Amino acid sequence: MRKEDFLTELEAIAPKELALPFDNVGLLVGTTRGEINRVLVALDCTDAVAREAVEFGADMVLTHHPLFFTPIKRILPDDPSTKAAFTLIRNDIGLYAMHTNLDAADGGVNDVLCERLGIVDQKAIGDERIARLGRLSRPQSFGEFACGVEEKLDTRVKVCGDTNREIVRVAVLGGSGGGDVRLVSDCGADAFVTGEIKHSQAIEAAELGLCVVSAGHYETEKVVMSTIIPRLQKKDNNVKYKLAQYDKTSLASL
């Protein structure tokens, strides 16, 4: 696929205008390659992922999290913050990130998370239109629901709230969603699934009567990456995609 056409397809999946103002999305590392034939897909572009891209013969790395959030003054091969970028540039491999725009997009992180957890009739809530609020197909105890989240996301969860409480309306926000506990409570959620939440935010949720499942930043976002591949393959089956083997870091198991 021509590089320009590939970038157009990525923009269609997660339009850049959906990204939050602080974010850094789109083509972050350029490449002189005119054709995109192999793409490595990962949540993060770590040094291990960059090296895997070289081994795979990738033309492009597609990630959820951007490689750069703050200005970089130098790119060095032995600097942990830039060694991945150094490897990509040295091997003429591009890097494209879809972050908060993919969180907000239709069929993005939070829609896929709802589907995985059996949450139906979801809708975008809040001014940023990123979090989703939907309902369970049947009422469940919060404890039963939390166990289901643990199983469906293959993770270990932490919970805040009465495990015997019956819940129906559930909000989700993959990644760091603790700052939205008041939003989802005000929108009528009985429970909230997010990746991580601060202690003070969990206290606020308890005061609001909101049950919370903290299921891991990595685990609540990784679900979307594999779904992007078939969407892109519908446009051009000749491009080979691979989910990065070395994407998961030790942080995911905490």
Side-chain angles (χ1 to χ4, degrees):
M1 182 187 292
R2 291 193 320 130
K3 178 174 63 180
E4 291 77 9
D5 294 336
F6 179 74
L7 298 178
T8 297
E9 294 303 329
L10 295 180
E11 174 75 13
I13 289 174
K16 285 188 254 186
E17 60 266 22
L18 296 179
L20 298 181
F22 71 84
D23 213 352
N24 187 24
V25 301
L27 188 64
L28 304 186
V29 175
T31 173
T32 63
R33 303 174 192 237
E35 293 285 329
I36 302 299
N37 298 303
R38 291 186 169 222
V39 179
L40 187 68
V41 180
L43 201 69
D44 297 276
C45 186
T46 61
D47 180 52
V49 167
R51 287 186 278 109
E52 184 178 352
V54 175
E55 295 171 4
F56 179 54
D59 304 296
M60 185 76 66
V61 176
L62 175 61
T63 66
H64 181 47
H65 294 136
L67 189 58
F68 308 118
F69 270 119
T70 56
I72 298 296
K73 294 185 177 180
R74 57 187 62 84
I75 297 178
L76 303 175
D78 56 352
D79 186 328
S81 65
T82 62
K83 62 194 306 185
F86 183 92
T87 297
L88 295 181
I89 294 168
R90 185 179 184 186
N91 290 277
D92 197 18
I93 299 172
L95 171 68
Y96 192 101
M98 299 188 291
H99 190 213
T100 53
N101 50 332
L102 186 60
D103 292 330
D106 291 339
V109 172
N110 293 301
D111 283 338
V112 172
L113 192 54
C114 283
E115 181 179 356
R116 181 67 65 89
L117 299 180
I119 298 166
V120 298
D121 298 334
Q122 72 267 25
K123 62 180 181 180
I125 57 173
D127 294 337
E128 297 167 349
R129 314 297 290 171
I130 291 181
R132 299 296 194 261
L133 176 67
R135 63 175 179 82
L136 301 176
S137 58
R138 64 173 179 84
Q140 298 179 34
S141 71
F142 176 54
E144 179 186 2
F145 174 71
C147 288
V149 172
E150 191 167 78
E151 179 181 354
K152 292 170 183 175
L153 298 184
D154 188 22
T155 186
R156 296 296 299 273
V157 303
K158 295 180 180 179
V159 300
C160 172
D162 180 1
T163 55
N164 293 315
R165 178 183 171 186
E166 184 177 270
I167 62 168
V168 176
R169 291 168 61 82
V170 179
V172 304
L173 182 54
S176 300
D180 282 336
V181 293
R182 184 169 294 274
L183 165 68
V184 300
S185 176
D186 289 346
C187 288
D190 303 315
F192 181 32
V193 179
T194 190
E196 53 186 323
I197 183 171
K198 295 179 180 178
H199 177 69
S200 59
Q201 295 164 340
I203 292 175
E204 181 182 15
E207 294 292 336
L208 292 168
L210 177 68
C211 296
V212 176
V213 180
S214 176
H217 195 125
Y218 174 87
E219 288 82 1
T220 55
E221 292 185 332
K222 70 174 182 178
V223 293
V224 76
M225 303 313 292
S226 61
T227 69
I228 294 174
I229 294 175
R231 294 174 68 178
L232 289 168
Q233 285 179 324
K234 287 181 180 179
K235 302 296 181 180
D236 191 333
N237 269 324
N238 293 320
V239 180
K240 295 182 179 180
Y241 296 89
K242 178 187 176 186
L243 285 173
Q245 179 181 356
Y246 300 110
D247 190 22
K248 188 172 182 178
T249 70
S250 58
L251 285 176
S253 62
L254 292 177

